[in-house]
Amino acid sequence: MAGSSKKKSPLRRPSTGGARVNRGAAGPRYGVISLVAQLIDLLNLFDGPADAVISRFFKDHPELGGRDRPVVAEAAYCWLRYRYRINHLAQSGEGGPTVMRQAKLALLWSGAPEAIWSAGRSEDNEWLSRVIHVPVDNLSQEPKTCLPAWLYEQITTEFGPDRALSFAQAVLSAAPLDLRVNTLKASTQEVVAGLAAQGIEVLPIAGLEDGLRAVGKPVVGRTEMFQEGLFEVQDAGSQWVSKLVAPRRGDLVIDFCAGAGGKTLAVAAAMKNTGRVVALDTSERRLQKFRPRAARSGMSNFYTMVINDEADPRLNKYFSKADRVVVDVPCSGMGTLRRNPDLKFRQGPQGVAELVEKQKSILHHACQLVKPDGRLVYITCSVLKQENEEIVEWFLANNSEFRLRRWTEVLNPADRPASADQTADTFRLWPEDGESDGFFAAVLQRSKS
């Protein structure tokens, strides 16, 4: 835990057997540090998603080969995760641009070989050997927790200091690579054996019959099995909330905010390609990403529609007709910081407040599509009560025909994540408890009459 007084630093000095890089002369090695520094300057603008900024940077720097790119990308994400701490420690060095020291520390902590991060000024290496032993407890709140003050304080207020510290420590690590077997085309055993034949080891995820976790970070997207739609990349938490939809064969399921369709595909597979799944989104670009995924998976029971907003009059034809309505609302994404560490800097209290109003509006309109005795499943990848429990309380206070159904009534004991509170009415996952993204879900049942 980040607050333990016994730890000098949560990061150990890595060995030189890490990522593969250009092992030429000192000049090219030092050049990698300079490129990481340039990328940090771009990321520091926070004018777009980090993955898009990094992808654009690589296009602008074709001199970075296939061996160097993973090193630079890992260093960039390390800087995003540890930004407050790295920037604070970089100020203690002397001479040269501060961003070069930030780049060196990011390379060191992300596991780059010594030939990379020790290149250049000897003064910087003396500084590195000094700062990696700075006790974490000697740092102020933001460098210590690596979370913005508003976020750390809100989690502390809502859940207590122990949870805030454990959450802060958990999101400093990269997320695992999880897969969901497409049971329309293959069994879990077939996928495990097929990947093993290609040197990719995967392990079962307890409670997810179709869930697998890769050992390391293999490039699974280039495998023939992925191209043929035998599995999808999907976080374990996302798979569990998809199971809470619990559709029956022949149901009409409306995914109100489908996006690229990860949960839509999981729901369709559970329905064995029967019934009908309607994928809605306000973005044509996002739905364009979903359609080839659906085709690859063998899913044929779906229909997509780009809507203007949640009040689009074309939705009238679905009023009171859907057996299940999935509402995975736009949210702050604070549960996905291991995967998207830049979100903690691109979001703030005002932005969350605006999202809350949008979430209420979406729920208000989506609930009208639920048929009597049907279900509305509200989902976020946020850990904040403001976007979760408080939204559900508001909804129930304004929609008396709905009741909150316990999540344990929907999932069988063998299908439940052990890390979720089995006594709670709503479903919640924390990154530190179950090695998944942070998720929240509530199953809202409409009365029969």
Side-chain angles (χ1 to χ4, degrees):
M1 186 177 295
S4 173
S5 60
K6 295 182 180 180
K7 283 192 175 183
K8 296 292 185 182
S9 170
L11 300 167
R12 294 178 295 177
R13 190 184 186 98
S15 70
T16 58
R20 297 171 64 196
V21 297
N22 186 328
R23 295 189 178 275
R29 293 167 181 167
Y30 188 73
V32 172
I33 303 173
S34 179
L35 287 168
V36 171
Q38 293 176 47
L39 182 51
I40 286 174
D41 276 338
L42 289 174
L43 291 168
N44 205 34
L45 299 174
F46 295 108
D47 58 355
D51 57 350
V53 174
I54 294 171
S55 177
R56 187 167 62 249
F57 182 82
F58 286 157
K59 288 180 181 178
D60 293 340
H61 292 275
E63 72 274 16
L64 268 171
R67 293 183 177 184
D68 289 350
R69 289 187 178 202
V71 175
V72 173
E74 286 298 320
Y77 276 103
C78 180
W79 177 79
L80 286 167
R81 293 187 180 98
Y82 287 91
R83 175 176 174 246
Y84 287 125
R85 192 176 300 172
I86 286 175
N87 290 4
H88 171 77
L89 294 175
Q91 296 295 331
S92 65
E94 296 178 356
T98 303
V99 70
M100 291 294 283
R101 289 192 293 277
Q102 294 173 14
K104 278 201 167 190
L105 197 48
L107 283 161
L108 168 65
W109 282 354
S110 63
E114 186 172 356
I116 292 286
W117 49 260
S118 65
R121 288 164 38 92
S122 60
E123 295 91 336
D124 283 352
N125 295 327
E126 293 172 4
W127 161 80
L128 275 174
S129 65
R130 188 170 67 251
V131 298
I132 61 173
H133 296 299
V134 172
V136 173
D137 283 348
N138 289 359
L139 303 176
S140 59
Q141 181 177 292
E142 285 187 336
K144 176 181 176 179
T145 65
C146 295
L147 291 179
W150 74 268
L151 177 59
Y152 184 77
E153 290 165 6
Q154 186 163 342
I155 296 175
T156 300
T157 299
E158 294 179 351
F159 301 99
D162 289 345
R163 174 59 77 182
L165 279 172
S166 64
F167 174 79
Q169 182 62 36
V171 297
L172 290 177
S173 301
L177 176 64
D178 294 338
L179 313 176
R180 179 186 58 79
V181 176
N182 177 17
T183 53
L184 297 176
K185 287 191 169 185
S187 68
T188 301
Q189 293 74 20
E190 288 170 336
V191 170
V192 171
L195 289 174
Q198 299 180 58
I200 298 174
E201 183 183 359
V202 290
L203 303 172
I205 301 175
L208 286 175
E209 183 180 358
D210 308 324
L212 298 169
R213 176 157 295 159
V215 177
K217 289 293 181 70
V219 183
V220 297
R222 296 177 185 172
T223 64
E224 186 175 343
M225 296 177 69
F226 177 80
Q227 298 298 331
E228 292 179 352
L230 273 60
F231 65 87
E232 281 284 336
V233 175
Q234 186 178 20
D235 178 77
S238 179
Q239 294 184 51
W240 267 306
V241 294
S242 299
K243 290 172 74 71
L244 281 171
V245 179
R248 300 159 298 188
R249 293 193 183 191
D251 274 354
L252 169 61
V253 178
I254 297 178
D255 193 341
F256 207 86
C257 309
K263 297 178 185 66
T264 315
L265 292 172
V267 170
M271 295 167 66
K272 305 300 181 185
N273 241 346
T274 65
R276 195 180 189 197
V277 180
V278 180
L280 308 175
D281 205 276
T282 58
S283 170
E284 170 67 27
R285 180 180 58 83
R286 286 193 290 265
L287 286 180
Q288 282 178 345
K289 293 181 180 180
F290 165 66
R291 293 180 187 118
R293 295 177 72 187
R296 187 174 64 234
S297 74
M299 176 182 173
S300 59
N301 60 335
F302 73 97
Y303 171 73
T304 62
M305 181 193 297
V306 180
I307 56 176
N308 296 323
D309 54 33
E310 61 269 23
D312 194 315
R314 290 176 295 165
L315 296 176
N316 292 351
K317 61 182 178 181
Y318 295 117
F319 276 12
S320 296
K321 292 183 179 179
D323 298 279
R324 303 284 189 269
V325 175
V326 184
V327 188
D328 184 4
V329 293
C331 69
S332 65
M334 291 301 111
T336 68
L337 294 184
R338 294 187 307 170
R339 206 175 301 278
N340 305 298
D342 55 310
L343 284 178
K344 60 186 175 183
F345 307 116
R346 295 171 52 215
Q347 193 57 269
Q350 181 59 40
V352 174
E354 293 170 1
L355 284 166
V356 164
E357 294 308 309
K358 186 66 173 178
Q359 291 157 2
K360 289 179 178 179
S361 179
I362 291 173
L363 263 182
H364 168 72
H365 289 92
C367 75
Q368 299 173 41
L369 310 186
V370 182
K371 69 189 297 185
D373 203 32
R375 295 177 193 166
L376 176 71
V377 183
Y378 176 75
I379 300 169
T380 79
C381 54
S382 174
V383 297
L384 304 177
K385 285 186 176 181
Q386 189 177 358
E387 300 180 89
N388 296 331
E389 288 90 346
E390 292 178 15
I391 290 286
V392 173
E393 291 170 5
W394 167 86
F395 177 80
L396 292 173
N398 289 278
N399 295 274
S400 58
E401 71 273 28
F402 283 85
R403 68 178 178 87
L404 179 61
R405 186 167 184 180
R406 269 196 171 189
W407 73 271
T408 51
E409 296 176 8
V410 179
L411 296 183
N412 295 322
D415 297 329
R416 301 173 192 165
S419 58
D421 185 351
Q422 311 291 309
T423 65
D425 291 334
T426 54
F427 178 86
R428 179 183 277 280
L429 293 174
W430 290 89
E432 62 268 39
D433 291 345
E435 279 297 303
S436 74
D437 286 346
F439 272 95
F440 174 88
V443 180
L444 302 159
Q445 185 96 22
R446 190 172 187 179
S447 62
K448 294 182 179 181
S449 57

